[in-house]
Amino acid sequence: MKIKVLCLSTIALLAVIFQQQTVHADKEASRKEKRIVKPGIEVLLEEHLNWLAGKRVGLITNPTGVDRNLKSSIDLLYEHPDVNLTALFGPEHGIRGNREAGEYVESYVDEKTGLPVYSLYGPTWKPTEEMLEDIDVLLFDIQDIGSNVYTYIYTLGFAMEAAAEQGKEIIVLDRPNPIGGERVEGPLRSADTVSFMGRFLLPVRHGLTVGELATMWNHEYSLGVSLKVAKMKGWKRFMHFEDTQLPWIQPSPNIPAQETAYLYAGTELLDDTTLTTGLGTTKPFELVGAPWINGNQLAEEMNDRNIDGVRFRSAYFTPMFGKYEGERIGGVQVHIIDRQKIDLVNLGLQLLDAMRDQDPDQFMMTDKYANLIGDPEVPAMIRNNESIEKIIDSWQRKLMKWKLEVRNHYLLYGPYPKGAKPYKGKTVLGILPLDLSAAIGQSIPLSLQGFDKNGEKLEINSDDINWKVTDGLGYVEDSQFHALKDGVGKIIAIYQKQKSERSIDISAILVQNIRFGVHDSYTRVVFDLNKTVSNYAVEEEDHRLLFSIPYGEIAGELEKGGGSILIGNSPVIERIDYQIEGENFSAELHVKQTAVNVETPTYASRIVLDLQHDGEN
């Protein structure tokens, strides 16, 4: 009898254990199921096809634009019976990812679909009016890696600018930030350290998805774009890419693995110095060093610094291309121990500091280092051997202010930081032109556009806009701004209790230099200015390109009364004659071809004309 009771008790106990294990397994399966992330391309096709109904669609993408089954977004859209895909756009490295970093990507016809493919890297960063003439809505589907110097997010920013200027819609097909959405690190980029980034100023590690970036930029820069975001399903801010169960596609040739993408925002800070980030090896941004570095000594030093989340192993390697090609390099390999704990900016600066200390005479930074880290004060602090703690402390207050007062208002995914709430759609207004610059006495036409919280276009009557100009710089009358005095301020438009602001610079427009460079497929002519302007004109007339800047003046080392610049080695241009005509700066570009295709990429404080070498002779 006792044996029977014991057996029954044992059976009952085993049943309870089995039930508990089953419940635990069910919970674990449920937890894993919730971690499966559905990217924006799938969400768009499953839930938001009405966004594309009756519209001509352009797609900005590259090989990372795939669904969970590795099918390309190009194919998904092109083959869909309810989608009218009319054009493709490629960022740096092209839509197939087969171009090296910084390489010019030309426009061509895609062999598989027969669609035109337009380059958004090289001579043209912002889609032109011609590129968008057969498009109503632009989709953006590219995997970012969370760093402020990775160019794809700025391709999105320039596409938003073009959409604002040309009345097109933008839809961002959102994807994970592979290094997580919680940590924000590094200095907030200064306007004095921009290049490809344009107006879009971010810290080194921004902790946002591309959809969140687009939402923030639309409001913070008063773009006034018709913007929608196909939000991911299942993504949480604490996730890194390996948590998403999405397939990893290398976003560019030198980011082969998830570890590379994760470390990039940190070890990229060794670039623009005499140190190498390991380009030309199988472990770029994981292997770092220099020819004079003792790897064993560096590994010991770095491990003694007790940097959270990483360990270091002595390594020697020989790059197959790039910096120090063919030379034996001493250094370390960075091994990730705990992704959640790594401060990537601190990691990069600690590596730089330790390697500099091994041989200060061999360590040098280029003039571009300020542009890399985004803070013009940091290079001097590094040269003065300031502590890494002091360098990081120097930007923390400004970074925290930006994080709390700007970034955290545009988060689309939780868990949300303390005090932050999920972004809810709200009216967005935009003042055109996007770049406002004038000289005293000059007048500039203004317009205001916008969309309500539901994405519906606002029908704005100009009589209902209350315009204000700060600091007495001028006034607005009949939608025309009239400049009265020098200074930097803002033009403010108030419409139905909503406000939009645009910075304006009132000063003489000085042409400080004219430069040129002859490349394989184009000749670049650069007019260096004292500020960014967009109200210039280029016209073609009888073997000449006529270029003019209203109220422009000659300065710098140029001949004050005008002069000529000979160009002897270009197949498309012979010389440039420049002068002042009335109130305008003008230049005649004497060309050798009956027709010249001119691209005008956008840069800060300069106007660039790229004369293509493909015209008729």
Side-chain angles (χ1 to χ4, degrees):
M1 193 69 175
K2 290 183 179 179
I3 294 174
K4 187 180 291 187
V5 171
L6 179 61
C7 290
L8 289 174
S9 299
T10 302
I11 291 171
L13 178 61
L14 290 173
V16 170
I17 293 173
F18 177 77
Q19 183 179 21
Q20 289 177 339
Q21 289 177 336
T22 301
V23 169
H24 177 76
D26 288 344
K27 286 183 177 180
E28 181 66 15
S30 175
R31 184 180 68 83
K32 288 184 177 180
E33 180 67 26
K34 290 180 180 178
R35 285 172 55 188
I36 295 176
V37 173
K38 184 181 293 186
I41 179 62
E42 295 183 36
V43 176
L44 174 80
L45 295 177
E46 292 175 8
E47 301 182 16
H48 302 304
L49 269 177
N50 60 306
W51 291 357
L52 306 181
K55 296 172 181 175
R56 299 166 299 173
V57 178
L59 174 64
I60 304 171
T61 194
N62 71 357
T64 64
V66 296
D67 68 4
R68 284 174 294 168
N69 296 315
L70 294 173
K71 188 160 186 179
S72 165
S73 297
I74 298 173
D75 297 335
L76 289 168
L77 294 166
Y78 184 71
E79 296 170 3
H80 200 289
D82 298 323
V83 178
N84 181 20
L85 187 64
T86 58
L88 303 171
F89 297 82
E92 184 178 12
H93 308 293
I95 65 169
R96 305 297 180 189
N98 58 349
R99 302 304 177 111
E100 281 299 325
E103 182 182 354
Y104 168 55
V105 181
E106 73 278 3
S107 299
Y108 57 96
V109 174
D110 180 52
E111 292 183 2
K112 186 173 183 179
T113 63
L115 296 174
V117 182
Y118 297 109
S119 168
L120 297 182
Y121 194 81
T124 305
W125 296 354
K126 184 190 297 185
T128 64
E129 188 173 350
E130 182 181 4
M131 291 177 181
L132 299 183
E133 63 182 357
D134 293 325
I135 289 171
D136 301 306
V137 56
L138 267 175
L139 308 186
F140 182 91
D141 189 17
I142 296 178
Q143 178 64 61
D144 179 42
I145 64 170
S147 162
N148 75 339
V149 294
Y150 208 59
T151 61
Y152 297 154
I153 56 176
Y154 303 111
T155 297
L156 169 61
F158 288 124
M160 293 177 68
E161 290 187 0
E165 294 165 343
Q166 301 179 44
K168 309 297 181 179
E169 299 177 52
I170 290 276
I171 298 175
V172 176
L173 310 182
D174 215 1
R175 291 189 175 273
N177 184 323
I179 62 175
E182 294 183 313
R183 300 188 72 114
V184 180
E185 300 164 6
L188 180 63
R189 181 171 295 281
S190 163
D192 297 328
T193 62
V194 300
S195 52
F196 184 84
M197 297 82 178
R199 73 184 82 248
F200 306 106
L201 308 179
L202 294 169
V204 174
R205 184 180 185 179
H206 51 72
L208 295 166
T209 70
V210 287
E212 291 171 330
L213 282 169
T215 303
M216 178 177 70
W217 288 341
N218 201 21
H219 288 284
E220 291 298 315
Y221 295 111
S222 296
L223 298 180
V225 174
S226 175
L227 171 69
K228 295 182 176 69
V229 178
K231 293 171 57 178
M232 295 174 282
K233 293 292 183 68
W235 190 75
K236 304 295 183 184
R237 305 208 74 80
F238 53 77
M239 287 183 173
H240 296 119
F241 198 87
E242 65 271 20
D243 300 320
T244 67
Q245 299 190 33
L246 290 172
W248 171 257
I249 309 294
Q250 65 181 69
S252 58
N254 292 317
I255 307 292
Q258 294 179 39
E259 288 79 6
T260 324
Y262 195 87
L263 291 172
Y264 177 88
T267 55
E268 169 67 7
L269 296 178
L270 304 181
D271 208 357
D272 291 316
T273 73
T274 46
L275 307 173
T276 175
T277 57
L279 291 181
T281 74
T282 58
K283 295 287 186 180
F285 303 104
E286 295 179 61
L287 291 170
V288 298
W292 68 86
I293 292 296
N294 181 313
N296 293 323
Q297 181 181 330
L298 179 62
E300 183 178 352
E301 166 68 19
M302 291 305 300
N303 286 322
D304 285 345
R305 294 191 180 204
N306 294 318
I307 299 172
D308 289 341
V310 291
R311 294 290 290 172
F312 302 89
R313 178 185 64 84
S314 174
Y316 290 85
F317 52 94
T318 303
M320 294 178 288
F321 59 83
K323 188 186 292 185
Y324 301 127
E325 177 182 352
E327 292 189 48
R328 186 164 177 79
I329 304 299
V332 294
Q333 181 176 354
V334 184
H335 290 267
I336 298 172
I337 306 301
D338 187 341
R339 285 167 168 78
Q340 297 286 357
K341 294 182 178 181
I342 307 174
D343 183 322
L344 290 168
V345 172
N346 176 61
L347 166 65
L349 292 177
Q350 293 283 358
L351 280 165
L352 183 149
D353 183 66
M355 285 190 275
R356 184 266 318 278
D357 287 351
Q358 275 205 20
D359 193 337
D361 292 337
Q362 301 227 44
F363 174 82
M364 290 180 287
M365 292 182 291
T366 72
D367 294 338
K368 295 181 180 179
Y369 195 82
N371 290 348
L372 174 66
I373 197 165
D375 188 330
E377 306 299 324
V378 169
M381 297 181 76
I382 292 173
R383 291 189 183 98
N384 293 336
N385 202 20
E386 301 282 3
S387 70
I388 301 305
E389 291 75 15
K390 184 175 180 179
I391 293 174
I392 291 175
D393 284 346
S394 71
W395 64 62
Q396 285 299 102
R397 181 177 298 179
K398 186 175 181 180
L399 177 67
M400 185 59 65
K401 179 179 175 68
W402 176 82
K403 182 179 176 180
L404 296 177
E405 298 182 6
V406 179
R407 171 193 180 270
N408 287 0
H409 292 285
Y410 301 102
L411 304 182
L412 303 177
Y413 308 91
Y416 298 94
K418 184 178 180 180
K421 297 179 180 179
Y423 170 83
K424 293 184 179 179
K426 55 184 178 180
T427 297
V428 59
L429 296 176
I431 298 172
L432 293 176
L434 296 176
D435 293 300
L436 275 173
S437 177
I440 295 175
Q442 188 175 358
S443 298
I444 298 176
L446 302 175
S447 63
L448 185 70
Q449 62 186 21
F451 296 84
D452 66 19
K453 63 181 181 180
N454 299 314
E456 298 296 326
K457 185 175 178 61
L458 299 174
E459 298 299 330
I460 299 175
N461 186 327
S462 60
D463 294 335
D464 296 332
I465 305 171
N466 180 16
W467 294 98
K468 297 182 178 180
V469 182
T470 65
D471 305 306
L473 298 179
Y475 63 95
V476 178
E477 185 176 65
D478 296 330
S479 297
Q480 291 268 341
F481 168 75
H482 303 275
L484 295 179
K485 71 174 188 177
D486 285 344
V488 176
K490 293 183 182 295
I491 290 180
I492 301 169
I494 300 174
Y495 175 77
Q496 295 183 349
K497 297 182 180 181
Q498 301 292 325
K499 184 171 71 170
S500 180
E501 297 182 355
R502 178 76 66 231
S503 296
I504 186 162
D505 181 352
I506 310 299
S507 60
I509 302 171
L510 305 180
V511 182
Q512 299 173 320
N513 195 15
I514 301 174
R515 299 178 286 121
F516 69 90
V518 180
H519 304 272
D520 290 341
S521 57
Y522 63 96
T523 296
R524 169 164 291 184
V525 177
V526 179
F527 296 88
D528 289 315
L529 311 177
N530 62 321
K531 59 182 179 177
T532 301
V533 300
S534 57
N535 57 326
Y536 60 90
V538 182
E539 299 176 357
E540 190 170 352
E541 179 183 297
D542 189 26
H543 282 266
R544 295 181 301 164
L545 289 176
L546 304 181
F547 170 78
S548 62
I549 304 174
Y551 292 83
E553 301 178 11
I554 297 173
E557 297 182 1
L558 297 174
E559 298 290 336
K560 301 302 183 288
S564 294
I565 298 173
L566 296 178
I567 303 177
N569 56 342
S570 169
V572 292
I573 181 172
E574 294 178 342
R575 73 177 193 275
I576 303 170
D577 296 333
Y578 62 93
Q579 60 273 321
I580 297 295
E581 292 185 345
E583 295 180 322
N584 299 336
F585 170 88
S586 67
E588 296 180 6
L589 285 68
H590 295 266
V591 297
K592 301 176 181 180
Q593 301 176 168
T594 55
V596 177
N597 179 29
V598 181
E599 304 285 358
T600 55
T602 303
Y603 287 87
S605 300
R606 71 191 74 162
I607 296 172
V608 176
L609 307 181
D610 285 335
L611 285 64
Q612 307 300 304
H613 295 173
D614 55 2
E616 298 178 2
N617 292 321

